[in-house]
Amino acid sequence: MSGRTEGGAKERKLRTLAVLSLLAAFVIFLLSLPARAAPIDDQFQAWLQTDLWPEAKAKGISRKTFDAAFIGVKPNLKLPDLVMPGEKPTTPEKQHQAEFGPPANYFAEKIIRAVTAGGRTRESANARVLGLIEKRYGVPGEIVLAIWGRETGFGAAKMPYDAFEVLGTKAFMSTKKDFFRTEVLAALEIVERRLAPVNAMKSSWAGALGQPQFMPTSFLKHAVDFDGDGRPDIWNSTPDVLASIANYLVHHGWVRGRGWGFEVTVPAKVSCSLEGPDQGKKIADWAAMGIARAGGKPFPAGELKAEGFLLMPAGRSGPAFIVTPNFYVLKEYNTSDLYALFIGHAADRIARGDAGFAGAWGPVGDFHRSDIAALQRALEATGYDVGSADGLPGFKTRRSIGSWQAKNGKPATCFPDASLVAQLK
């Protein structure tokens, strides 16, 4: 009996020692793990107070303004193009803007007509103001109206986001943190200078403000008081909205007296790789190469000696254009060829009626950004200048595709297609 008892005690002791050894090993394992990151909300608040606030203070922002702007604000993790702390940015697979999709969708007739019909109505209602704006800035009223209509449906679109939530989140954790840091500091300056109260600072998902959709730095540079009430109000004053748009274009180089461009036909002998703002020619020289205006009209005599640029936003699968420097001024408003073309085309239709493009958009452009980025990297690896591997088929990517196709014995289309993406990525 006593022998069995002594044996059982010894066994229990061994089991206890084994359990303690396992617990000790587990504790050592836990201690070897990196400390858990603080919750993202806490990281954001710490960043606000220890990183952003000192710079804001140095730029003249008061503590009162800073606290009012960020009271109750948390990072909005539903916004696009964010990078979680500790992670590396990647090319997004999907698009977040209409400009990144198929051109045919972007120029859907119902979308264009909403802008052109609304523009004609407002052209009549605001004729005096538009006349004064065109006299002062040299920007046609139809251009200003087209931008106003495209950006916010002539002010009807609601801005559902708190600008400081958007700009703060993106300055803290987006793929373009430096850009948005500058913008959130500019937004604080707007409030500090009493150009707008905190509760009026509503924005798009990208942090753009008011009816013209100005980023805060653009507001500070280009917004004007055109109604004479003492402050530029791009939220509620139609004269200020329209004049601010025109002022923006002038500051980016709008050439008084020139339009934006002409739809043209491009013969097969003219390479689509001649596209781009760095390959300009006199319009007379383009005409001598066989490029003609769509519909048979001659180019205006006053334009023949001026510089123009070939634009083929869908390569050989869509309409082609000879554009003026003013086209690239429109592109400063939104860095997309399709956007600038939409504005120019809508302005023409506001002025002259609802006539669409002579050329048709082919079924192109329905790719993930990650696919295009892979194609761009492949072209870069063989020496082509695609601008950047950002997943967007801009003019450098389009003409690089055309040059690669011609070099490899393929018809030059100057736009990615499924077989090309598969072959090069």
Side-chain angles (χ1 to χ4, degrees):
M1 181 75 175
S2 62
R4 288 196 299 271
T5 301
E6 289 176 3
K10 187 176 181 179
E11 186 177 343
R12 287 194 298 272
K13 185 177 180 180
L14 290 173
R15 285 201 300 267
T16 300
L17 288 172
V19 169
L20 290 173
S21 297
L22 286 172
L23 286 172
F26 183 65
V27 169
I28 292 170
F29 169 75
L30 289 177
L31 292 174
S32 70
L33 292 175
R36 289 185 64 189
I40 194 71
D41 289 359
D42 293 344
Q43 293 184 61
F44 178 70
Q45 293 302 323
W47 171 80
L48 284 177
Q49 301 306 324
T50 63
D51 191 336
L52 189 64
W53 162 241
E55 185 173 359
K57 182 180 179 181
K59 291 182 176 295
I61 305 302
S62 68
R63 187 78 217 196
K64 180 180 178 181
T65 294
F66 190 87
D67 288 346
F70 289 106
I71 187 170
V73 170
K74 296 181 179 181
N76 185 342
L77 303 184
K78 295 181 180 180
L79 296 173
D81 304 325
L82 300 183
V83 181
M84 297 299 289
E87 296 182 2
K88 294 182 178 180
T90 58
T91 301
E93 181 179 276
K94 296 183 180 180
Q95 283 65 260
H96 297 292
Q97 290 181 240
E99 289 83 4
F100 300 162
N105 294 353
Y106 194 75
F107 289 95
E109 187 63 18
K110 66 177 182 180
I111 297 174
I112 296 177
R113 281 186 179 273
V115 173
T116 57
R120 282 193 292 271
T121 298
R122 286 160 182 82
E123 186 175 39
S124 176
N126 296 280
R128 178 181 173 277
V129 168
L130 289 167
L132 292 171
I133 288 171
E134 185 164 357
K135 183 177 180 180
R136 178 180 297 186
Y137 299 104
V139 180
E142 294 83 8
I143 291 286
V144 174
L145 289 167
I147 292 174
W148 186 26
R150 179 68 199 184
E151 291 297 327
T152 57
F154 308 102
K158 303 300 180 185
M159 296 296 107
Y161 294 93
D162 179 304
F164 290 103
E165 176 187 86
V166 171
L167 297 170
T169 298
K170 287 180 171 285
F172 174 59
M173 58 187 299
S174 81
T175 56
K176 295 164 52 177
K177 289 194 290 188
D178 291 344
F179 171 83
F180 284 103
R181 187 183 185 94
T182 300
E183 294 300 337
V184 74
L185 290 167
L188 288 165
E189 183 179 347
I190 290 171
V191 176
E192 183 69 29
R193 290 170 54 184
R194 298 184 179 180
L195 299 174
V198 168
N199 60 9
M201 296 288 282
K202 301 299 181 183
S203 76
S204 70
W205 61 264
L209 306 169
Q211 295 186 40
Q213 285 291 272
F214 280 176
M215 295 303 292
T217 53
S218 290
F219 176 92
L220 293 172
K221 293 175 185 175
H222 311 302
V224 295
D225 170 26
F226 205 73
D227 63 10
D229 70 352
R231 70 184 184 93
D233 183 359
I234 64 170
W235 292 269
N236 305 296
S237 169
T238 296
D240 289 5
V241 167
L242 298 175
S244 295
I245 293 171
N247 194 42
Y248 181 102
L249 298 177
V250 168
H251 285 174
H252 283 88
W254 185 268
V255 180
R256 183 187 289 262
R258 292 197 78 183
W260 67 271
F262 312 91
E263 185 179 359
V264 297
T265 57
V266 180
K269 66 181 181 181
V270 177
S271 173
C272 52
S273 64
L274 292 175
E275 182 185 6
D278 54 350
Q279 299 192 95
K281 303 177 186 294
K282 291 181 180 179
I283 291 180
D285 293 337
W286 290 115
M289 295 169 67
I291 292 177
R293 284 186 71 180
K297 290 183 179 180
F299 290 107
E303 288 284 328
L304 291 174
K305 294 182 179 180
E307 190 174 32
F309 312 90
L310 181 62
L311 172 74
M312 301 182 74
R316 290 284 180 182
S317 296
F321 308 87
I322 293 295
V323 298
T324 75
N326 283 342
F327 174 87
Y328 294 101
V329 174
L330 294 176
K331 195 175 173 180
E332 291 289 338
Y333 212 98
N334 180 324
T335 55
S336 160
D337 289 329
L338 296 185
Y339 177 88
L341 182 59
F342 185 102
I343 298 304
H345 180 59
D348 286 351
R349 289 173 61 161
I350 291 171
R352 296 191 285 272
D354 280 312
F357 293 120
W361 299 100
V364 296
D366 197 11
F367 298 102
H368 286 150
R369 284 182 66 180
S370 52
D371 291 334
I372 301 300
L375 180 150
Q376 290 168 322
R377 288 191 291 270
L379 286 169
E380 282 182 328
T382 55
Y384 289 95
D385 178 11
V386 299
S388 65
D390 57 4
L392 309 177
F395 74 89
K396 287 187 176 181
T397 296
R398 296 194 295 266
R399 70 190 187 189
S400 293
I401 288 171
S403 296
W404 182 91
Q405 289 170 323
K407 183 178 179 180
N408 287 274
K410 301 176 183 296
T413 65
C414 292
F415 207 83
D417 57 39
S419 62
L420 184 66
V421 169
Q423 184 174 356
L424 284 176
K425 68 177 285 193

Short mmCIF file of all heavy atoms in Angstrom, two decimals, residues 234-291:
data_model
loop_
_atom_site.label_atom_id
_atom_site.label_comp_id
_atom_site.label_asym_id
_atom_site.label_seq_id
_atom_site.Cartn_x
_atom_site.Cartn_y
_atom_site.Cartn_z
N ILE A 234 -17.08 78.89 -52.75
CA ILE A 234 -17.29 77.90 -53.80
C ILE A 234 -18.34 76.87 -53.42
O ILE A 234 -18.59 75.92 -54.16
CB ILE A 234 -15.98 77.18 -54.17
CG1 ILE A 234 -15.43 76.37 -52.99
CG2 ILE A 234 -14.95 78.18 -54.69
CD1 ILE A 234 -14.28 75.45 -53.35
N TRP A 235 -18.98 77.09 -52.27
CA TRP A 235 -20.04 76.18 -51.82
C TRP A 235 -21.43 76.69 -52.22
O TRP A 235 -22.28 75.90 -52.61
CB TRP A 235 -19.98 76.00 -50.31
CG TRP A 235 -18.78 75.25 -49.84
CD1 TRP A 235 -18.67 73.89 -49.66
CD2 TRP A 235 -17.50 75.79 -49.53
NE1 TRP A 235 -17.40 73.56 -49.25
CE2 TRP A 235 -16.65 74.70 -49.15
CE3 TRP A 235 -16.97 77.08 -49.52
CZ2 TRP A 235 -15.32 74.89 -48.77
CZ3 TRP A 235 -15.64 77.25 -49.15
CH2 TRP A 235 -14.83 76.17 -48.78
N ASN A 236 -21.62 78.01 -52.17
CA ASN A 236 -22.97 78.55 -52.32
C ASN A 236 -23.13 79.65 -53.36
O ASN A 236 -24.25 79.91 -53.79
CB ASN A 236 -23.44 79.11 -50.96
CG ASN A 236 -23.36 78.07 -49.86
OD1 ASN A 236 -24.05 77.06 -49.89
ND2 ASN A 236 -22.50 78.32 -48.87
N SER A 237 -22.06 80.31 -53.77
CA SER A 237 -22.15 81.44 -54.68
C SER A 237 -21.85 81.01 -56.12
O SER A 237 -20.71 80.68 -56.44
CB SER A 237 -21.18 82.55 -54.27
OG SER A 237 -21.09 83.53 -55.28
N THR A 238 -22.84 81.04 -56.99
CA THR A 238 -22.63 80.65 -58.39
C THR A 238 -21.59 81.54 -59.07
O THR A 238 -20.71 81.02 -59.78
CB THR A 238 -23.96 80.67 -59.17
OG1 THR A 238 -24.83 79.67 -58.61
CG2 THR A 238 -23.74 80.38 -60.63
N PRO A 239 -21.63 82.88 -58.92
CA PRO A 239 -20.57 83.69 -59.54
C PRO A 239 -19.17 83.31 -59.06
O PRO A 239 -18.23 83.24 -59.87
CB PRO A 239 -20.93 85.12 -59.12
CG PRO A 239 -22.40 85.09 -58.91
CD PRO A 239 -22.67 83.75 -58.32
N ASP A 240 -19.02 83.04 -57.78
CA ASP A 240 -17.70 82.65 -57.26
C ASP A 240 -17.28 81.29 -57.81
O ASP A 240 -16.10 81.08 -58.14
CB ASP A 240 -17.73 82.59 -55.72
CG ASP A 240 -17.83 83.97 -55.08
OD1 ASP A 240 -17.97 84.96 -55.81
OD2 ASP A 240 -17.80 84.03 -53.84
N VAL A 241 -18.23 80.36 -57.91
CA VAL A 241 -17.93 79.03 -58.44
C VAL A 241 -17.43 79.15 -59.89
O VAL A 241 -16.37 78.60 -60.25
CB VAL A 241 -19.18 78.12 -58.39
CG1 VAL A 241 -18.99 76.86 -59.21
CG2 VAL A 241 -19.51 77.77 -56.93
N LEU A 242 -18.17 79.84 -60.72
CA LEU A 242 -17.83 79.94 -62.14
C LEU A 242 -16.53 80.68 -62.36
O LEU A 242 -15.67 80.27 -63.15
CB LEU A 242 -18.98 80.61 -62.90
CG LEU A 242 -20.33 79.87 -62.87
CD1 LEU A 242 -21.40 80.70 -63.56
CD2 LEU A 242 -20.21 78.51 -63.52
N ALA A 243 -16.35 81.80 -61.66
CA ALA A 243 -15.13 82.58 -61.82
C ALA A 243 -13.92 81.83 -61.29
O ALA A 243 -12.81 81.93 -61.85
CB ALA A 243 -15.27 83.92 -61.11
N SER A 244 -14.10 81.07 -60.23
CA SER A 244 -12.98 80.31 -59.68
C SER A 244 -12.51 79.24 -60.65
O SER A 244 -11.30 78.99 -60.78
CB SER A 244 -13.38 79.68 -58.33
OG SER A 244 -13.65 80.68 -57.36
N ILE A 245 -13.45 78.59 -61.33
CA ILE A 245 -13.08 77.60 -62.35
C ILE A 245 -12.26 78.27 -63.46
O ILE A 245 -11.22 77.77 -63.88
CB ILE A 245 -14.33 76.92 -62.92
CG1 ILE A 245 -15.00 76.05 -61.86
CG2 ILE A 245 -13.97 76.08 -64.15
CD1 ILE A 245 -16.36 75.51 -62.27
N ALA A 246 -12.74 79.41 -63.95
CA ALA A 246 -12.03 80.13 -65.01
C ALA A 246 -10.65 80.57 -64.53
O ALA A 246 -9.66 80.47 -65.27
CB ALA A 246 -12.85 81.33 -65.46
N ASN A 247 -10.57 81.06 -63.31
CA ASN A 247 -9.30 81.51 -62.76
C ASN A 247 -8.31 80.36 -62.65
O ASN A 247 -7.11 80.51 -62.94
CB ASN A 247 -9.55 82.12 -61.38
CG ASN A 247 -8.37 82.91 -60.87
OD1 ASN A 247 -7.73 83.66 -61.61
ND2 ASN A 247 -8.06 82.76 -59.58
N TYR A 248 -8.80 79.19 -62.27
CA TYR A 248 -7.95 77.99 -62.20
C TYR A 248 -7.34 77.71 -63.58
O TYR A 248 -6.14 77.46 -63.70
CB TYR A 248 -8.80 76.80 -61.74
CG TYR A 248 -8.05 75.50 -61.62
CD1 TYR A 248 -7.64 75.02 -60.38
CD2 TYR A 248 -7.74 74.73 -62.75
CE1 TYR A 248 -6.95 73.83 -60.26
CE2 TYR A 248 -7.05 73.53 -62.63
CZ TYR A 248 -6.66 73.09 -61.38
OH TYR A 248 -5.97 71.90 -61.27
N LEU A 249 -8.17 77.75 -64.62
CA LEU A 249 -7.69 77.45 -65.96
C LEU A 249 -6.66 78.49 -66.43
O LEU A 249 -5.65 78.14 -67.04
CB LEU A 249 -8.85 77.37 -66.93
CG LEU A 249 -9.89 76.26 -66.65
CD1 LEU A 249 -11.03 76.34 -67.65
CD2 LEU A 249 -9.24 74.88 -66.69
N VAL A 250 -6.93 79.75 -66.14
CA VAL A 250 -5.98 80.80 -66.52
C VAL A 250 -4.64 80.60 -65.82
O VAL A 250 -3.57 80.72 -66.43
CB VAL A 250 -6.57 82.19 -66.20
CG1 VAL A 250 -5.50 83.27 -66.30
CG2 VAL A 250 -7.72 82.51 -67.14
N HIS A 251 -4.69 80.29 -64.54
CA HIS A 251 -3.45 80.07 -63.79
C HIS A 251 -2.66 78.88 -64.33
O HIS A 251 -1.44 78.80 -64.11
CB HIS A 251 -3.77 79.85 -62.31
CG HIS A 251 -4.14 81.10 -61.59
ND1 HIS A 251 -4.58 81.11 -60.29
CD2 HIS A 251 -4.15 82.39 -61.99
CE1 HIS A 251 -4.83 82.35 -59.92
NE2 HIS A 251 -4.59 83.14 -60.94
N HIS A 252 -3.32 77.96 -65.02
CA HIS A 252 -2.63 76.81 -65.59
C HIS A 252 -2.33 76.99 -67.08
O HIS A 252 -1.92 76.03 -67.74
CB HIS A 252 -3.44 75.54 -65.35
CG HIS A 252 -3.32 75.03 -63.95
ND1 HIS A 252 -4.16 75.46 -62.94
CD2 HIS A 252 -2.45 74.16 -63.37
CE1 HIS A 252 -3.81 74.85 -61.80
NE2 HIS A 252 -2.79 74.07 -62.04
N GLY A 253 -2.52 78.21 -67.60
CA GLY A 253 -2.03 78.51 -68.93
C GLY A 253 -3.05 78.59 -70.04
O GLY A 253 -2.69 78.49 -71.22
N TRP A 254 -4.34 78.77 -69.73
CA TRP A 254 -5.34 78.85 -70.78
C TRP A 254 -4.99 79.95 -71.78
O TRP A 254 -4.68 81.08 -71.40
CB TRP A 254 -6.72 79.14 -70.19
CG TRP A 254 -7.80 79.12 -71.23
CD1 TRP A 254 -8.27 80.18 -71.95
CD2 TRP A 254 -8.51 77.97 -71.71
NE1 TRP A 254 -9.23 79.78 -72.84
CE2 TRP A 254 -9.40 78.42 -72.72
CE3 TRP A 254 -8.49 76.61 -71.38
CZ2 TRP A 254 -10.26 77.55 -73.38
CZ3 TRP A 254 -9.35 75.75 -72.05
CH2 TRP A 254 -10.22 76.22 -73.04
N VAL A 255 -5.03 79.61 -73.07
CA VAL A 255 -4.70 80.55 -74.13
C VAL A 255 -5.98 81.20 -74.64
O VAL A 255 -6.84 80.53 -75.23
CB VAL A 255 -3.97 79.84 -75.29
CG1 VAL A 255 -3.62 80.86 -76.39
CG2 VAL A 255 -2.71 79.14 -74.78
N ARG A 256 -6.12 82.48 -74.40
CA ARG A 256 -7.30 83.22 -74.85
C ARG A 256 -7.42 83.15 -76.37
O ARG A 256 -6.43 83.30 -77.10
CB ARG A 256 -7.18 84.67 -74.40
CG ARG A 256 -8.38 85.55 -74.72
CD ARG A 256 -8.09 87.01 -74.38
NE ARG A 256 -8.03 87.23 -72.94
CZ ARG A 256 -9.04 87.70 -72.21
NH1 ARG A 256 -10.19 87.98 -72.79
NH2 ARG A 256 -8.87 87.90 -70.90
N GLY A 257 -8.63 82.90 -76.85
CA GLY A 257 -8.88 82.93 -78.29
C GLY A 257 -8.72 81.59 -79.00
O GLY A 257 -9.03 81.49 -80.19
N ARG A 258 -8.22 80.56 -78.32
CA ARG A 258 -8.10 79.24 -78.93
C ARG A 258 -9.09 78.28 -78.29
O ARG A 258 -9.42 78.41 -77.10
CB ARG A 258 -6.69 78.67 -78.78
CG ARG A 258 -5.63 79.41 -79.56
CD ARG A 258 -4.37 78.56 -79.71
NE ARG A 258 -4.52 77.53 -80.74
CZ ARG A 258 -3.60 76.61 -81.03
NH1 ARG A 258 -2.47 76.59 -80.34
NH2 ARG A 258 -3.81 75.71 -81.98
N GLY A 259 -9.56 77.33 -79.08
CA GLY A 259 -10.42 76.29 -78.54
C GLY A 259 -9.59 75.18 -77.93
O GLY A 259 -8.40 75.34 -77.65
N TRP A 260 -10.21 74.02 -77.76
CA TRP A 260 -9.49 72.89 -77.15
C TRP A 260 -8.98 71.90 -78.19
O TRP A 260 -8.00 71.20 -77.96
CB TRP A 260 -10.40 72.14 -76.16
CG TRP A 260 -11.55 71.45 -76.85
CD1 TRP A 260 -12.78 71.98 -77.12
CD2 TRP A 260 -11.55 70.12 -77.40
NE1 TRP A 260 -13.56 71.07 -77.81
CE2 TRP A 260 -12.82 69.92 -77.99
CE3 TRP A 260 -10.62 69.10 -77.45
CZ2 TRP A 260 -13.17 68.73 -78.62
CZ3 TRP A 260 -10.96 67.90 -78.08
CH2 TRP A 260 -12.23 67.73 -78.66
N GLY A 261 -9.67 71.81 -79.37
CA GLY A 261 -9.21 70.87 -80.37
C GLY A 261 -10.30 70.48 -81.35
O GLY A 261 -11.42 71.03 -81.33
N PHE A 262 -9.98 69.50 -82.22
CA PHE A 262 -10.86 69.08 -83.31
C PHE A 262 -10.83 67.56 -83.43
O PHE A 262 -9.77 66.95 -83.35
CB PHE A 262 -10.39 69.67 -84.65
CG PHE A 262 -10.09 71.13 -84.61
CD1 PHE A 262 -8.80 71.59 -84.31
CD2 PHE A 262 -11.09 72.07 -84.86
CE1 PHE A 262 -8.52 72.95 -84.28
CE2 PHE A 262 -10.81 73.43 -84.82
CZ PHE A 262 -9.52 73.88 -84.52
N GLU A 263 -12.00 66.96 -83.67
CA GLU A 263 -12.01 65.55 -84.01
C GLU A 263 -11.50 65.40 -85.44
O GLU A 263 -11.84 66.20 -86.33
CB GLU A 263 -13.41 64.94 -83.89
CG GLU A 263 -13.38 63.43 -84.12
CD GLU A 263 -14.74 62.75 -83.97
OE1 GLU A 263 -15.73 63.44 -83.67
OE2 GLU A 263 -14.80 61.53 -84.19
N VAL A 264 -10.69 64.35 -85.66
CA VAL A 264 -10.06 64.17 -86.97
C VAL A 264 -10.10 62.70 -87.39
O VAL A 264 -10.42 61.81 -86.59
CB VAL A 264 -8.57 64.63 -86.95
CG1 VAL A 264 -8.47 66.12 -86.63
CG2 VAL A 264 -7.75 63.81 -85.96
N THR A 265 -9.78 62.48 -88.65
CA THR A 265 -9.53 61.13 -89.15
C THR A 265 -8.03 61.00 -89.39
O THR A 265 -7.39 61.92 -89.92
CB THR A 265 -10.30 60.85 -90.45
OG1 THR A 265 -9.94 61.84 -91.43
CG2 THR A 265 -11.80 60.91 -90.21
N VAL A 266 -7.47 59.86 -88.99
CA VAL A 266 -6.03 59.63 -89.10
C VAL A 266 -5.79 58.47 -90.04
O VAL A 266 -6.19 57.34 -89.75
CB VAL A 266 -5.41 59.32 -87.71
CG1 VAL A 266 -3.91 59.08 -87.83
CG2 VAL A 266 -5.70 60.46 -86.73
N PRO A 267 -5.18 58.71 -91.19
CA PRO A 267 -4.95 57.61 -92.13
C PRO A 267 -3.99 56.57 -91.56
O PRO A 267 -3.19 56.86 -90.67
CB PRO A 267 -4.35 58.32 -93.36
CG PRO A 267 -3.80 59.61 -92.85
CD PRO A 267 -4.67 60.00 -91.69
N ALA A 268 -4.07 55.37 -92.09
CA ALA A 268 -3.26 54.25 -91.59
C ALA A 268 -1.77 54.52 -91.70
O ALA A 268 -0.97 54.01 -90.90
CB ALA A 268 -3.63 52.98 -92.33
N LYS A 269 -1.37 55.33 -92.66
CA LYS A 269 0.06 55.60 -92.85
C LYS A 269 0.64 56.48 -91.75
O LYS A 269 1.87 56.57 -91.62
CB LYS A 269 0.28 56.26 -94.22
CG LYS A 269 -0.34 57.65 -94.34
CD LYS A 269 -0.10 58.25 -95.71
CE LYS A 269 -0.72 59.66 -95.81
NZ LYS A 269 -0.50 60.25 -97.15
N VAL A 270 -0.22 57.15 -90.98
CA VAL A 270 0.24 57.99 -89.87
C VAL A 270 0.25 57.15 -88.60
O VAL A 270 -0.79 56.65 -88.17
CB VAL A 270 -0.65 59.23 -89.69
CG1 VAL A 270 -0.20 60.05 -88.48
CG2 VAL A 270 -0.63 60.09 -90.95
N SER A 271 1.40 57.00 -88.00
CA SER A 271 1.54 56.14 -86.83
C SER A 271 0.83 56.73 -85.61
O SER A 271 0.97 57.92 -85.31
CB SER A 271 3.02 55.93 -86.50
OG SER A 271 3.16 55.24 -85.27
N CYS A 272 0.10 55.86 -84.91
CA CYS A 272 -0.54 56.31 -83.68
C CYS A 272 0.47 56.59 -82.59
O CYS A 272 0.14 57.23 -81.57
CB CYS A 272 -1.57 55.28 -83.20
SG CYS A 272 -0.94 53.58 -83.07
N SER A 273 1.72 56.17 -82.77
CA SER A 273 2.76 56.44 -81.78
C SER A 273 3.25 57.88 -81.83
O SER A 273 4.12 58.27 -81.03
CB SER A 273 3.93 55.47 -81.95
OG SER A 273 4.57 55.68 -83.20
N LEU A 274 2.70 58.69 -82.74
CA LEU A 274 3.04 60.12 -82.79
C LEU A 274 2.23 60.93 -81.79
O LEU A 274 2.34 62.16 -81.74
CB LEU A 274 2.80 60.66 -84.21
CG LEU A 274 3.75 60.13 -85.30
CD1 LEU A 274 3.32 60.66 -86.66
CD2 LEU A 274 5.18 60.54 -85.00
N GLU A 275 1.44 60.26 -80.99
CA GLU A 275 0.59 60.94 -80.01
C GLU A 275 1.42 61.57 -78.89
O GLU A 275 2.48 61.08 -78.53
CB GLU A 275 -0.39 59.94 -79.41
CG GLU A 275 -1.35 60.56 -78.41
CD GLU A 275 -2.25 59.54 -77.73
OE1 GLU A 275 -2.05 58.33 -77.94
OE2 GLU A 275 -3.14 59.98 -76.97
N GLY A 276 0.88 62.66 -78.33
CA GLY A 276 1.46 63.19 -77.10
C GLY A 276 1.77 64.67 -77.14
O GLY A 276 2.02 65.24 -78.21
N PRO A 277 1.76 65.32 -75.98
CA PRO A 277 2.01 66.77 -75.92
C PRO A 277 3.47 67.15 -76.17
O PRO A 277 3.78 68.33 -76.28
CB PRO A 277 1.59 67.12 -74.47
CG PRO A 277 1.80 65.86 -73.71
CD PRO A 277 1.46 64.75 -74.66
N ASP A 278 4.35 66.16 -76.26
CA ASP A 278 5.76 66.44 -76.54
C ASP A 278 6.11 66.17 -78.01
O ASP A 278 7.28 66.18 -78.38
CB ASP A 278 6.65 65.60 -75.62
CG ASP A 278 6.33 64.10 -75.70
OD1 ASP A 278 5.30 63.74 -76.31
OD2 ASP A 278 7.10 63.30 -75.14
N GLN A 279 5.08 65.93 -78.85
CA GLN A 279 5.32 65.68 -80.26
C GLN A 279 4.44 66.58 -81.13
O GLN A 279 3.84 66.13 -82.10
CB GLN A 279 5.05 64.20 -80.60
CG GLN A 279 5.95 63.23 -79.83
CD GLN A 279 5.87 61.82 -80.37
OE1 GLN A 279 6.69 61.40 -81.19
NE2 GLN A 279 4.89 61.06 -79.91
N GLY A 280 4.37 67.83 -80.74
CA GLY A 280 3.50 68.77 -81.45
C GLY A 280 4.04 69.15 -82.82
O GLY A 280 5.25 69.09 -83.09
N LYS A 281 3.12 69.52 -83.70
CA LYS A 281 3.44 70.05 -85.02
C LYS A 281 2.47 71.17 -85.34
O LYS A 281 1.40 71.28 -84.72
CB LYS A 281 3.29 68.97 -86.10
CG LYS A 281 4.11 67.70 -85.91
CD LYS A 281 3.80 66.70 -87.03
CE LYS A 281 4.50 65.37 -86.79
NZ LYS A 281 5.97 65.49 -86.87
N LYS A 282 2.81 71.98 -86.30
CA LYS A 282 1.84 72.94 -86.80
C LYS A 282 0.64 72.17 -87.35
O LYS A 282 0.81 71.12 -87.96
CB LYS A 282 2.44 73.82 -87.89
CG LYS A 282 3.49 74.80 -87.38
CD LYS A 282 4.02 75.65 -88.52
CE LYS A 282 5.08 76.63 -88.01
NZ LYS A 282 5.64 77.47 -89.12
N ILE A 283 -0.53 72.70 -87.13
CA ILE A 283 -1.72 72.00 -87.61
C ILE A 283 -1.67 71.83 -89.13
O ILE A 283 -2.12 70.81 -89.67
CB ILE A 283 -2.99 72.73 -87.14
CG1 ILE A 283 -3.12 72.57 -85.61
CG2 ILE A 283 -4.23 72.20 -87.84
CD1 ILE A 283 -4.32 73.24 -85.00
N ALA A 284 -1.06 72.79 -89.81
CA ALA A 284 -0.89 72.66 -91.27
C ALA A 284 -0.05 71.43 -91.61
O ALA A 284 -0.29 70.75 -92.63
CB ALA A 284 -0.25 73.92 -91.84
N ASP A 285 0.94 71.13 -90.78
CA ASP A 285 1.78 69.95 -91.04
C ASP A 285 1.03 68.65 -90.81
O ASP A 285 1.22 67.68 -91.55
CB ASP A 285 3.03 70.01 -90.15
CG ASP A 285 3.96 71.16 -90.51
OD1 ASP A 285 3.89 71.63 -91.66
OD2 ASP A 285 4.73 71.59 -89.63
N TRP A 286 0.18 68.62 -89.77
CA TRP A 286 -0.66 67.44 -89.57
C TRP A 286 -1.58 67.24 -90.79
O TRP A 286 -1.77 66.11 -91.26
CB TRP A 286 -1.51 67.58 -88.31
CG TRP A 286 -0.78 67.50 -87.00
CD1 TRP A 286 -0.65 68.50 -86.08
CD2 TRP A 286 -0.10 66.36 -86.46
NE1 TRP A 286 0.07 68.06 -85.00
CE2 TRP A 286 0.42 66.74 -85.19
CE3 TRP A 286 0.12 65.07 -86.90
CZ2 TRP A 286 1.15 65.88 -84.38
CZ3 TRP A 286 0.85 64.19 -86.10
CH2 TRP A 286 1.35 64.60 -84.86
N ALA A 287 -2.12 68.34 -91.27
CA ALA A 287 -3.02 68.26 -92.43
C ALA A 287 -2.27 67.74 -93.66
O ALA A 287 -2.80 66.95 -94.45
CB ALA A 287 -3.63 69.63 -92.71
N ALA A 288 -1.01 68.16 -93.81
CA ALA A 288 -0.21 67.72 -94.95
C ALA A 288 0.08 66.21 -94.88
O ALA A 288 0.33 65.57 -95.92
CB ALA A 288 1.11 68.49 -95.00
N MET A 289 0.01 65.63 -93.70
CA MET A 289 0.22 64.19 -93.53
C MET A 289 -1.04 63.39 -93.84
O MET A 289 -1.02 62.17 -93.80
CB MET A 289 0.68 63.90 -92.10
CG MET A 289 2.04 64.51 -91.76
SD MET A 289 2.41 64.44 -89.98
CE MET A 289 2.57 62.67 -89.73
N GLY A 290 -2.13 64.09 -94.12
CA GLY A 290 -3.38 63.42 -94.47
C GLY A 290 -4.41 63.42 -93.36
O GLY A 290 -5.51 62.87 -93.52
N ILE A 291 -4.10 64.04 -92.23
CA ILE A 291 -5.08 64.14 -91.14
C ILE A 291 -6.07 65.24 -91.47
O ILE A 291 -5.68 66.37 -91.80
CB ILE A 291 -4.37 64.42 -89.80
CG1 ILE A 291 -3.54 63.21 -89.39
CG2 ILE A 291 -5.36 64.78 -88.71
CD1 ILE A 291 -2.74 63.40 -88.12
#
